[in-house]
């Protein structure tokens, strides 16, 4: 349901294709039920005309893979971009992306949205099935050792090994 609603919100009325999301701005507003509202700025690469739509943060969380995919597209051609750099700027994360055809661009993403779309698993959902009583328990968490980052703070690529000290993509220290 959430994915259908997001598709409808960010689809071009002329061609029906999903628009590129260039920014996700926190205006400090709350919805009827107290949920945080985020303004998604979106634009069709083929037909132009940027538009902003307020959506609840919960909707972004449910459709996080779709939102991430649309944020990581080029505003001019709609093709996929790669994350070149990330920078925290107050309550926002500035993503610098590069399109192979059109060069570099920026995305201004509110920190809660960035955390959701870059998270591999939903942050607040319980496991789908309870563990079987005869299955071995997972190893205990060592409270003295903090978990490693899931994504490189420099290039944004997922870090496959939590114990890595350097990013396998760009070599930045983790």
């Amino acid at each position: 349901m959430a994915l259908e609603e997001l598709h409808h919100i960010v689809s071009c009325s002329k061609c029906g294709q999903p628009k590129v999301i260039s920014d996700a701005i926190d205006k400090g507003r709350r919805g009827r039920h107290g949920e945080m509202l985020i303004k998604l700025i979106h634009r069709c690469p083929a037909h132009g005309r940027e538009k902003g739509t307020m959506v609840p943060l919960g909707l972004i969380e449910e459709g996080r893979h779709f939102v991430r995919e649309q944020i990581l597209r080029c505003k001019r051609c709609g093709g996929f971009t790669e994350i070149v750099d990330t920078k925290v700027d107050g309550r926002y994360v500035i993503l610098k992306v590069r399109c192979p055809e059109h060069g570099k661009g920026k995305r201004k993403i509110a920190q809660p949205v960035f955390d959701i779309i870059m998270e591999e698993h939903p942050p607040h959902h319980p496991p789908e099935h309870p563990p079987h009583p005869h299955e071995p328990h997972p190893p205990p968490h060592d409270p003295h050792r903090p978990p490693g980052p899931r994504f490189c703070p420099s290039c944004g690529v997922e870090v496959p090994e939590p114990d890595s000290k350097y990013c396998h993509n760009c070599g930045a220290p983790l």
Side-chain angles (χ1 to χ4, degrees), residues 61 116 121-126:
E61 183 176 0
I116 288 170
H121 302 290
H124 303 294
H125 296 288

Side-chain angles (χ1 to χ4, degrees), residues 27-156:
K27 295 282 193 177
R29 295 186 185 161
R30 299 278 175 183
R32 278 190 277 172
H33 304 292
E35 72 274 12
M36 179 187 291
L37 295 176
I38 300 293
K39 186 173 187 176
L40 294 180
I41 309 295
H42 44 92
R43 176 184 189 276
C44 177
H47 298 103
R49 191 169 165 257
E50 209 166 63
K51 181 179 177 186
T53 306
M54 300 295 281
V55 297
L57 186 61
L59 186 62
I60 292 171
E61 183 176 0
E62 290 179 35
R64 71 186 177 285
H65 296 295
F66 172 74
V67 172
R68 179 181 178 172
E69 183 177 306
Q70 297 317 116
I71 286 174
L72 296 178
R73 289 188 177 266
C74 174
K75 292 195 298 188
R76 292 179 63 192
C77 69
F80 287 103
T81 62
E82 64 176 325
I83 298 174
V84 178
D85 191 21
T86 58
K87 181 176 96 173
V88 176
D89 184 19
R91 302 179 324 182
Y92 294 95
V93 175
I94 307 299
L95 290 178
K96 291 184 180 178
V97 296
R98 182 175 45 228
C99 170
E101 191 173 329
H102 296 104
K104 294 181 181 179
K106 290 183 183 180
R107 305 288 186 268
K108 184 176 180 180
I109 311 297
Q111 187 69 52
V113 175
F114 180 81
D115 292 344
I116 288 170
I117 65 172
M118 293 308 225
E119 183 73 26
E120 188 173 327
H121 302 290
H124 303 294
H125 296 288
E128 292 182 20
H129 302 287
H132 192 273
H134 299 293
E135 286 183 17
H137 294 289
H141 173 68
D142 182 1
H144 301 290
R145 186 165 174 252
R150 289 188 184 184
F151 294 92
C152 173
S154 178
C155 68

